[in-house]
Amino acid sequence: MMSHVSKRFEYAAVMWGGRDVDEFVKTALNSFGSSMFIMGLYYRRPNWAWPRWLRQQLEPVGKGFEPAQLMPFRNIHFKDWGMIGTVQGVNEAMIDPSMLFAVRRNIAFEAWIYDGSRLYTPGSHGSFRQYLERPGYPVIVNEWDLGPVRFTARSMVANRSGVDVLLVDFRLTGLPGNYVVYLVTRPYNVDHFVEVNRAGIEGDGWFITVNDELALTTDREPTQFGSYGVSRDASEDASLGRLNSELYVVDELGWAHAALGFNAIINGDNEWRLRVRAPLDPLRNTSHNRLLIKSVSDSDVNAELRNWDAVNDAGGFSILVSDSSIGDIVRQSMANLVMLWDGGKITPGPLIYHLFWIRDGSYMATALTMLNLIDMGKAVIEELLRRVDLSGYFKAVDFDVREYDANGQVLWAVSKYVQLTRDHDALRKWYPVIRRGIEWLETNREVAGDESIRGGLLPPSWSAEDTGPMDHHYWDDVWAIAGLRELGKVLKEVNHEDYGWVEGLRREFTDALINSINTVRSRLGIDYIVPAPERFADSAMTRVIAVVWPTMALPLDNPLVRRTLEVAEELYG
């Protein structure tokens, strides 16, 4: 039995990129152990302050309930958070509708309210509303309605001396009384759980620190403070209206967190206010950095809002569709693109996906250019072109992974930029690198193997890694076709001598793709397209639809593609 299991592990490791078997097993066991740890904590301490998205997944009454044996300790169903940042900054903050503020992967915080007899936490109490103050500007407003009181947060990001800082203005209004507002760091963010080994309170300026980095500070001096680990969560003490007054905690199990408490008095019609400053960029706990964060002011906020004025003015468009909000959505999408633009590199997201991928960069560069943010789009194109290696392969991401959709995507993005801007000078400047990418596509086509492969498909690769193990993914080939087709249009327009070569190569890739699809269909007796010659129907068929959009490698009305979409919907919709 053990040899059978080990053979399965070995085969699984080979399928998933040829990883070392020991490392593969270690990773799987560590992931399983971490999930068991969280599950055990939750069921033994259900009254702790848990994230709202986790409660929704683990409690049968939750609309996103998942059976516990699936160990859903990642936010699967409730990814409706907002993102804010600056025009030039590298990092962004994420804000969950239930008022969990994530400023970095391992630093997040939320607010709790104690009314003298009961502790209210966002994971368990009240209703929430989150909205943009103004489309196209990253200023987010959160409202937490607890009935007798309402807690409102207005969040924006400013920059001081090259450091991006989240500013959150809290307001407590409602029934007069004496309350305690707690600010607490959490060992999870809007997406998943994290390990935090050290947390504490820095009395000089009243900062909370996480793993020796500055997490947050406030404009008021707290009346309580505390630091906690896995043996006791801060919510247990806060439910009694007091914290443990410990300055620092080390927790080898990764549940370290710290809290500040503030007396909040509401008299008559007045409101209680608190401003929080939290650096988005990693900052060590030094006196210089503490002074820097404390100095961020409204003037820095206003300066950043002027930067966003310039971005919105540069877009130079308006959209009105009856009473539709489409125009606002497009404008905010532009703001999100700009926040994720990092001076040339651009990332698909602010957390685990905070990496510069060619796949996403090609889409995003084109979107920036189409929105008339031409300089930003061009900067991304030039970063894509810098990713070429000596062989002519465009490296898909900063770490070592074989994803052979990258070359086609670079050609596609470059060509779209030239088509939109008519910047033929840039094309001439870039063309030596572009040509190396074309040569790589030509020389790396398969000429061996069975009939479904040897017609000229690209080699096995990770492709878009969510499609599964190393196979001859059609996704790679349709991007090669799209890149060559769009480049051919540009070269024809300028009468470039390589036009005939590029167009001929595109036809060869198209013929190879169609031949492979038909061979596999005949072999399997099916009337749809599978993701790769080695595969049967599976959920990666959704990637096959790229054969018509956005690549248009086959005609939009192709009945075979229509049937593939129908089958994918029947099986996985």
Side-chain angles (χ1 to χ4, degrees), residues 81-114:
W81 52 70
M83 176 177 71
I84 58 175
T86 61
V87 173
Q88 297 291 337
V90 172
N91 297 301
E92 296 79 38
M94 304 300 294
I95 305 175
D96 186 86
S98 57
M99 293 179 76
L100 176 63
F101 301 83
V103 293
R104 292 196 289 289
R105 182 185 175 93
N106 66 340
I107 298 181
F109 66 91
E110 62 186 9
W112 306 337
I113 297 172
Y114 178 73

Side-chain angles (χ1 to χ4, degrees), residues 468-543:
M470 303 278 284
D471 285 324
H472 292 83
H473 294 282
Y474 292 145
W475 169 266
D476 297 346
D477 301 284
V478 300
W479 273 110
I481 292 167
L484 292 166
R485 184 194 62 246
E486 297 306 313
L487 181 62
K489 293 177 183 177
V490 172
L491 296 181
K492 183 178 182 181
E493 188 175 64
V494 298
N495 296 315
H496 197 284
E497 60 184 7
D498 283 350
Y499 165 71
W501 170 51
V502 169
E503 177 60 16
L505 188 57
R506 180 198 66 79
R507 287 195 296 268
E508 291 176 14
F509 264 102
T510 304
D511 291 344
L513 174 67
I514 293 172
N515 176 70
S516 180
I517 290 171
N518 288 335
T519 300
V520 173
R521 286 176 57 216
S522 176
R523 185 170 67 208
L524 299 178
I526 58 176
D527 62 349
Y528 52 84
I529 308 172
V530 293
E534 298 89 347
R535 306 279 280 279
F536 300 95
D538 61 41
S539 58
M541 287 166 60
T542 53
R543 286 282 189 186

Side-chain angles (χ1 to χ4, degrees), residues 156-186:
M156 55 255 147
V157 179
N159 184 279
R160 171 62 69 96
S161 300
V163 177
D164 281 353
V165 179
L166 171 69
L167 284 85
V168 185
D169 288 330
F170 288 111
R171 291 189 301 123
L172 182 66
T173 59
L175 188 69
N178 296 339
Y179 302 88
V180 181
V181 172
Y182 292 103
L183 285 178
V184 195
T185 62
R186 304 308 290 153

Side-chain angles (χ1 to χ4, degrees), residues 206-268:
W206 291 106
F207 281 81
I208 294 181
T209 65
V210 169
N211 291 342
D212 303 320
E213 292 180 353
L214 298 178
L216 65 87
T217 188
T218 69
D219 64 346
R220 288 177 179 264
E221 185 169 325
T223 54
Q224 305 176 32
F225 62 87
S227 299
Y228 296 85
V230 73
S231 61
R232 188 172 182 82
D233 193 82
S235 56
E236 292 182 276
D237 281 353
S239 65
L240 303 173
R242 44 88 170 146
L243 299 175
N244 66 9
S245 300
E246 295 291 331
L247 285 172
Y248 198 74
V249 68
V250 177
D251 188 341
E252 64 178 6
L253 292 177
W255 202 258
H257 58 287
L260 300 174
F262 304 85
N263 289 342
I265 301 173
I266 302 177
N267 292 319

